[in-house]
Amino acid sequence: TRTPVNVTVTGAAGQIGYALLFRIASGHLLGPDVPVRLRLLEIPQAVKAAEGTAMELDDCAFPLLSGIDITDDAKTAFDGVNVALLVGARPRTKGMERGDLLEANGGIFKPQGEAINAGAADDVRVLVVGNPANTNALIAQQHAPDVPAERFTAMTRLDHNRALSQLAKKLGVSVTDIKKLTIWGNHSATQYPDLFHAEVKGQNAAQAVNDQAWLENEFIPTVAKRGAAIIEARGASSAASAANAAIDHVHDWVNGTAEGDWVSMAIPSDGSYGVPEGLISSFPVTVTDGEYSIVQGLEIDEFSRARIDASVAELVEERDAVKALGLI
Ligand code: NDP
């Protein structure tokens, strides 16, 4: 029998955590034959709720779930961790300035980065979901100097999946007919969902759409503002779809991307496509043998260039802001 993979989830008692944990335990994160041991990290006042979720996990009798530990101590949570899903974050509340938000999140992601540095397994992979995800990932990474920098990633897979679904609807095709879609930049309203390199049944997606007004005025804003639309309709943030995207991100990072396709992941830039080195920005990536690489050689036209640059400029601003606050 295989040794269980240690999967740590922070913010485990939250909405996303509730949708995420059951799928991890049932084998959707790593595969149907990989046992997992869950570590749940929560703030002290939410530990009891996490214990409740753990009771439900027990009650599922998942064959692959070999144990659950619950803690409010980051060092304990990340000791021996193989896969870290950093979901818990400080949400922006009314009247909160961006600096306050970044500072509050620095207080969360700095100690978590340090704890990962101190105790994580050699093969640790980190996915940051909690917003502002790209910059929170950067903060954690900067406090984990002994972990290879490329192990820190942030989630743009929900944006990717939203874009797939919107495009499929527009063209009346199945999502499986669409390949090579890309989200570039920051997981924020400035993100750029790119159809110019995407393919629909082998045809260029932008050409298949053949409607620049739809692309600019409907597709891009609908994808970028989908989170707000869900809050408006549901009265709560998206949670199950965010959890699903986290599963997809890690699953593909571990198990590889499909031949002839790619996915979107926010990863430390190596300078590709003019994105300053070190920024955690979303790119088209393929994964082989557990290692991702940025798809190279895509031609970026003026329209795409301006959109990518705008989102990357926002990431630079966020990085400079956390630097100025002494968080990195
Ligand atoms: P959720 O579980 O709904 O969301 C958690 C984080 O995911 C938020 O930062 C949220 O950002 C983010 N997120 C990223 N993408 C999406 C998306 N597409 N849709 C929705 N959210 C997205 O939050 P809850 O408040 O329900 O739960 C958070 C939990 O985290 C609480 O139980 C809290 O106690 C815990 N926590 C734990 C910490 C720790 O373990 N050290 C630290 C801080 C909090 P956004 O705010 O922009 O929606």
Side-chain angles (χ1 to χ4, degrees):
T1 59
R2 290 178 64 163
T3 10
V5 175
N6 291 323
V7 180
T8 300
V9 177
T10 77
Q15 295 302 311
I16 295 176
Y18 193 73
L20 183 60
L21 291 166
F22 295 86
R23 296 195 58 202
I24 298 172
S26 62
H28 289 92
L29 186 76
L30 299 169
D33 53 354
V34 186
V36 293
R37 181 165 188 96
L38 281 170
R39 298 264 178 74
L40 314 186
L41 179 66
E42 259 299 352
I43 53 178
Q45 56 272 35
V47 162
K48 186 147 185 268
E51 285 167 357
T53 305
M55 289 162 69
E56 284 203 75
L57 284 161
D58 281 343
D59 294 350
C60 294
F62 287 120
L64 292 173
L65 183 58
S66 73
I68 312 171
D69 308 303
I70 304 163
T71 179
D72 61 6
D73 174 58
K75 284 255 170 352
T76 309
F78 293 114
D79 188 39
V81 64
N82 304 106
V83 176
L85 299 165
L86 310 189
V87 178
R90 175 71 165 85
R92 190 194 286 259
T93 39
K94 237 189 163 145
M96 198 178 195
E97 297 294 328
R98 196 181 60 161
D100 301 334
L101 180 73
L102 292 172
E103 191 146 30
N105 279 299
I108 295 167
F109 288 88
K110 177 174 183 268
Q112 292 186 1
E114 289 167 348
I116 288 168
N117 198 54
D122 288 345
D123 68 348
V124 67
R125 288 180 171 87
V126 183
L127 168 62
V128 177
V129 175
N131 281 313
N134 302 54
T135 297
N136 288 340
L138 183 69
I139 294 171
Q141 180 207 54
Q142 292 298 304
H143 294 281
D146 304 331
V147 176
E150 72 272 10
R151 304 291 184 74
F152 285 83
T153 67
M155 188 168 90
T156 49
R157 187 61 176 266
L158 180 55
D159 309 302
H160 180 102
N161 288 344
R162 285 167 170 167
L164 278 177
S165 166
Q166 292 299 320
L167 179 62
K169 229 201 243 166
K170 167 79 175 168
L171 294 175
V173 300
S174 151
V175 287
T176 55
D177 293 327
I178 304 170
K179 312 279 182 225
K180 302 185 177 177
L181 198 137
T182 308
I183 304 293
W184 298 90
N186 199 2
H187 168 67
S188 76
T190 67
Q191 65 174 270
Y192 172 49
D194 173 7
L195 295 189
F196 291 96
H197 302 98
E199 293 169 3
V200 179
K201 297 183 180 171
Q203 191 196 351
N204 179 276
Q207 277 168 18
V209 167
N210 193 24
D211 184 349
Q212 182 69 16
W214 176 80
L215 195 151
E216 276 185 51
N217 306 324
E218 287 193 45
F219 173 70
I220 295 175
T222 299
V223 172
K225 293 182 195 155
R226 185 73 167 175
I230 287 175
I231 293 174
E232 175 70 30
R234 200 181 159 253
S237 321
S238 39
S241 54
N244 178 68
I247 297 271
D248 284 351
H249 176 116
V250 172
H251 179 274
D252 291 351
W253 188 1
V254 171
N255 296 299
T257 46
E259 185 66 35
D261 200 2
W262 64 60
V263 297
S264 304
M265 284 171 68
I267 57 170
S269 175
D270 60 358
S272 292
Y273 298 103
V275 181
E277 210 177 322
L279 278 188
I280 298 188
S281 188
S282 188
F283 286 99
V285 305
T286 54
V287 180
T288 330
D289 298 330
E291 300 219 1
Y292 60 74
S293 35
I294 298 174
V295 175
Q296 294 297 331
L298 302 179
E299 252 179 68
I300 307 295
D301 70 5
E302 234 172 274
F303 177 80
S304 296
R305 186 75 264 165
R307 301 273 171 162
I308 295 170
D309 287 351
S311 195
V312 167
E314 184 184 55
L315 284 171
V316 170
E317 265 177 46
E318 288 183 15
R319 182 189 61 188
D320 291 350
V322 293
K323 234 185 221 167
L325 288 165
L327 298 173
I328 60 170

